[in-house]
Amino acid sequence: MTESGKLYIVATPIGNLADITQRALEILQNADLIAAEDTRHSGKLLSHFGITTKMFALHDHNEKQKAQYLIDLINEGKSIALISDAGTPLISDPGYNLVNIAREQDVEVHPIPGPSAVITALSAAGLPTDKFLFAGFLPVKQQARLSELQKYKNADFTTVFYESPRRVIDTLKYMMEVYGEERELVLAKELTKHFESFVKGSAPQIIDWLQVDKDRQQGEMVLMVSPNKVEQLMSEDAEKLLLALTDELPLKKAAAITAQVHGLKKNDLYKYALSLQKED
Ligand code: SAM
């Protein structure tokens, strides 16, 4: 039930319209106003479901300025639903300022959960999900993009990026440079749509897959990077031993001894020790 004087954050489908929830439809139908990122785009979704609620444009460029106006309407007793072009608002989409101001001013905010590309991609990628990091979109500038990737190099969790088709090949090349040619990645494309696909492999393998056909380079994409295996497997004790030995012995020897003591692969340890040396 939509109650007056509240802000609802409503998730909408990321491709397949049948993924809209019953609650989302009820809230959107009964709200006094729908704040939408792009009213023309969302107009199509709403008319598909026969929803005639008035819309208000709230996007990155006017959000700060218009947020207080919307909060004032809520304080006058109106109920407002926030949606974005697709998926969950605020997840790489506008809405943060509005929700932040609403919370500061004790306005009730209710999430109406539903699709989001990050969770949809993770749920079917076959990568570890007990711990993950959503890193959003990478910066556009080359140096900033490289240093952002560098931050997650030794992550012992899955890292998830949103990526645009225009930049995906470049990003994969950077990933190859920073993470090496063997790190396992998953590219999830066109989720919930007709041409949905998951491509698992190393960066060079995914680049090859994309280059087979220009059509493969189109559409919406999520890129996931598997955890750094050695980081995941190596205990604190193993790392301490490896570091102590590398001070005294050649890397190969230090890796071999640590591998024997801790039951790990010497090649993995060698690469790990090498990457630490490069960082220094
Ligand atoms: N708020 C949305 C959410 O909850 O997922 C994300 C909005 S963000 C502006 C758009 C990006 O999300 C796309 O560039 C793509 O990386 C990802 N995305 C959205 N829909 C997708 C889909 N159907 N398949 C794959 N990625 C998708």
Side-chain angles (χ1 to χ4, degrees):
M1 247 262 305
T2 313
E3 292 178 42
S4 59
K6 293 193 174 142
L7 174 61
Y8 294 91
I9 309 302
V10 183
T12 58
I14 55 169
N16 190 326
L17 294 185
D19 291 334
I20 192 108
T21 69
Q22 198 62 42
R23 276 184 88 204
L25 289 176
E26 278 165 23
I27 298 284
L28 294 174
Q29 182 61 63
N30 297 320
D32 293 303
L33 190 66
I34 296 174
E37 194 182 355
D38 176 341
T39 52
R40 255 203 313 181
H41 177 96
S42 294
K44 291 182 201 147
L45 174 86
L46 298 182
S47 76
H48 176 86
F49 290 109
I51 292 167
T52 50
T53 308
K54 229 171 85 185
M55 277 193 283
F56 179 91
L58 189 79
H59 39 73
D60 276 339
H61 304 296
N62 73 354
E63 189 186 337
K64 270 196 180 147
Q65 182 200 344
K66 298 290 181 192
Q68 190 58 52
Y69 166 74
L70 293 175
I71 302 289
D72 290 345
L73 288 180
I74 296 172
N75 283 329
E76 285 164 20
K78 304 274 189 242
S79 66
I80 294 185
L82 173 72
I83 58 175
S84 59
D85 285 355
T88 302
L90 279 84
I91 307 302
S92 295
D93 264 340
Y96 162 70
N97 288 299
L98 178 64
V99 174
N100 187 34
I101 295 175
R103 290 263 172 227
E104 273 175 4
Q105 298 182 19
D106 290 328
V107 166
E108 268 189 53
V109 186
H110 294 285
I112 308 298
S116 186
V118 47
I119 301 298
T120 310
L122 273 171
S123 70
L127 291 177
T129 49
D130 52 331
K131 192 159 82 161
F132 66 87
L133 181 122
F134 173 56
F137 285 100
L138 285 162
V140 176
K141 291 205 172 124
Q142 177 175 338
Q143 201 44 49
R145 209 166 352 155
L146 276 170
S147 47
E148 185 71 6
L149 288 175
Q150 194 73 40
K151 282 189 204 162
Y152 312 118
K153 181 175 175 178
N154 293 325
D156 63 351
F157 43 77
T158 298
T159 314
V160 187
F161 299 93
Y162 281 169
E163 191 45 282
S164 89
R166 268 178 298 122
R167 282 200 292 265
V168 66
I169 292 193
D170 266 1
T171 295
L172 284 163
K173 286 183 182 160
Y174 289 138
M175 285 183 170
M176 194 157 84
E177 189 179 324
V178 178
Y179 301 146
E181 294 199 4
E182 282 166 30
R183 187 84 161 255
E184 187 170 61
L185 313 177
V186 178
L187 174 71
K189 277 195 59 201
E190 297 288 80
L191 293 165
T192 78
K193 302 185 202 176
H194 185 68
F195 289 108
E196 175 178 279
S197 44
F198 283 80
V199 191
K200 196 169 195 161
S202 63
Q205 285 169 331
I206 299 180
I207 293 173
D208 284 349
W209 184 85
L210 285 167
Q211 282 175 335
V212 163
D213 182 348
K214 276 243 171 316
D215 285 347
R216 291 185 175 175
Q217 292 166 39
Q218 306 300 319
E220 300 197 276
M221 304 176 178
V222 179
L223 252 179
M224 289 160 279
V225 182
S226 64
N228 185 324
K229 271 201 195 128
V230 187
E231 292 277 332
Q232 225 190 1
L233 291 172
M234 195 157 50
S235 65
E236 220 175 290
D237 283 350
E239 186 172 15
K240 266 192 204 150
L241 177 64
L242 180 66
L243 292 179
L245 290 174
T246 47
D247 283 344
E248 307 295 333
L249 297 170
L251 282 195
K252 275 201 173 137
K253 190 85 192 149
I257 297 173
T258 312
Q260 206 177 10
V261 174
H262 286 278
L264 297 165
K265 285 194 180 148
K266 72 176 174 212
N267 210 19
D268 285 347
L269 291 172
Y270 176 68
K271 278 192 209 148
Y272 179 69
L274 209 59
S275 74
L276 290 183
Q277 274 198 343
K278 274 190 198 153
E279 274 168 25
D280 289 347

